[in-house]
Amino acid sequence: MNLILFPEKLQRYSLPRDDYRYGHITTVLRARPGATLRVGVVDGALGEATLVSLDQEGLSLSVDWRDGTAALRPPEPVTLLLGHPRPPVLKRLLRDLTTLGVAEIRVFSSALSEGAYQTSSLWKNPESYLLEGLSQGEQTALPRLSRYASLKQVLSEDGLVPPPGEGRYFGTLELPGALSAREFLSRAGDFRALRFCVGPERGFLPREERLLQDHGYRPMTLGPRKLRTETAAILFAGLAGAAGLAGEARTSPE
């Protein structure tokens, strides 16, 4: 946890002993009164806090926001459409994709997905994994997260034709004419926004690949090896970063 996050902007915070942030500050960071810590407000400012007091009951922080800036989501974000993986994998992906700067994550069930994943307990509080990713990446812009019952439903959110400046791609192994990662990067300067679609562990059916193409998604291959959903999603987010689109936070005075 490289950044201590709070839901609202205050000049002073008090954390009781049972707050997870208390444990991190005292046990992991081993901070003592007088120490300074990086803090932020979700979807808001960054600042520097001073640990004012610490005892067995709790701690208090005093924050200087004078140099704070808001880490705002870019106006044309990178969006990842993600075939619902096993819940433990999704927990890691929500964290890591947030750290990598993906601004929107849409989780869907495909024809070969396990339907029971949609009722996993992780959906009771998925924001906790996003916040962990923000803390790791020292950012405050919380990604948008949504889930859908099918690929058709998630694709219905967008038009059939990508707007100017938007690239749409889905991962595949064998589809003829699939773009390589090298070819993608060579033309990435043409895009102001990107949408990537990664299937579940068992992949897409041919009819689902046709549906993606009907919605303006081009096939892209990440190499000749069959990858886990987790690996492919991270690689696509990394490509977006290499293209200069992921995590391009604007800054403005708070």
Side-chain angles (χ1 to χ4, degrees), residues 155-237:
L155 291 177
S156 70
E157 293 287 315
D158 306 309
L160 294 176
V161 179
E166 180 182 278
R168 297 180 182 179
Y169 298 93
F170 70 94
T172 185
L173 267 181
E174 303 172 346
L175 211 59
L179 199 72
S180 70
R182 184 187 298 273
E183 290 170 319
F184 163 77
L185 289 173
S186 72
R187 62 185 67 179
D190 298 336
F191 304 123
R192 298 191 307 272
L194 286 170
R195 296 186 187 277
F196 290 119
C197 186
V198 179
E201 300 290 349
R202 296 169 64 189
F204 290 120
L205 293 178
R207 62 178 171 83
E208 291 177 312
E209 292 185 329
R210 290 193 296 270
L211 182 63
L212 281 160
Q213 291 175 300
D214 288 344
H215 282 77
Y217 283 78
R218 294 191 57 188
M220 183 192 297
T221 178
L222 295 172
R225 297 173 178 83
K226 190 169 186 178
L227 304 177
R228 295 179 183 273
T229 298
E230 184 174 13
T231 306
I234 294 297
L235 284 173
F236 274 124

Side-chain angles (χ1 to χ4, degrees), residues 7-253:
E8 58 182 338
K9 184 180 178 182
L10 301 174
Q11 294 303 125
R12 196 178 183 96
Y13 297 97
S14 296
L15 299 178
R17 182 184 178 86
D18 60 358
D19 190 294
Y20 74 94
R21 291 164 295 190
Y22 174 99
H24 184 81
I25 290 169
T26 58
T27 304
V28 179
L29 300 180
R30 299 182 180 181
R32 295 294 180 263
T36 57
L37 306 167
R38 292 273 288 168
V39 297
V41 177
V42 176
D43 282 326
L46 296 167
E48 186 175 89
T50 300
L51 180 56
V52 177
S53 64
L54 170 66
D55 56 34
Q56 293 299 312
E57 300 300 319
L59 60 81
S60 63
L61 299 169
S62 177
V63 184
D64 181 358
W65 300 107
R66 286 179 301 175
D67 297 323
T69 56
L72 300 178
R73 183 180 295 109
E76 295 178 296
V78 174
T79 299
L80 185 72
L81 282 61
L82 181 66
H84 204 314
R86 293 179 297 109
V89 173
L90 182 56
K91 291 177 183 180
R92 295 194 296 270
L93 274 173
L94 293 179
R95 177 197 65 202
D96 294 342
L97 292 172
T98 301
T99 299
L100 286 167
V102 172
E104 183 172 4
I105 304 168
R106 300 179 182 179
V107 182
F108 65 92
S109 292
S110 72
L112 298 179
S113 295
E114 175 56 61
Y117 292 167
Q118 288 275 0
T119 59
S120 167
S121 60
L122 81 83
W123 287 107
K124 294 179 179 179
N125 185 26
E127 186 177 283
S128 63
Y129 309 109
L130 304 178
L131 291 174
E132 187 179 348
L134 284 184
S135 294
Q136 175 63 37
E138 294 192 85
Q139 294 294 316
T140 65
L142 194 69
R144 294 185 294 273
L145 174 65
S146 51
R147 58 175 161 162
Y148 300 82
S150 67
L151 177 63
K152 182 178 180 179
Q153 185 185 41
V154 71
L155 291 177
S156 70
E157 293 287 315
D158 306 309
L160 294 176
V161 179
E166 180 182 278
R168 297 180 182 179
Y169 298 93
F170 70 94
T172 185
L173 267 181
E174 303 172 346
L175 211 59
L179 199 72
S180 70
R182 184 187 298 273
E183 290 170 319
F184 163 77
L185 289 173
S186 72
R187 62 185 67 179
D190 298 336
F191 304 123
R192 298 191 307 272
L194 286 170
R195 296 186 187 277
F196 290 119
C197 186
V198 179
E201 300 290 349
R202 296 169 64 189
F204 290 120
L205 293 178
R207 62 178 171 83
E208 291 177 312
E209 292 185 329
R210 290 193 296 270
L211 182 63
L212 281 160
Q213 291 175 300
D214 288 344
H215 282 77
Y217 283 78
R218 294 191 57 188
M220 183 192 297
T221 178
L222 295 172
R225 297 173 178 83
K226 190 169 186 178
L227 304 177
R228 295 179 183 273
T229 298
E230 184 174 13
T231 306
I234 294 297
L235 284 173
F236 274 124
L239 282 173
L245 291 174
E248 287 189 350
R250 295 181 287 112
T251 61
S252 62

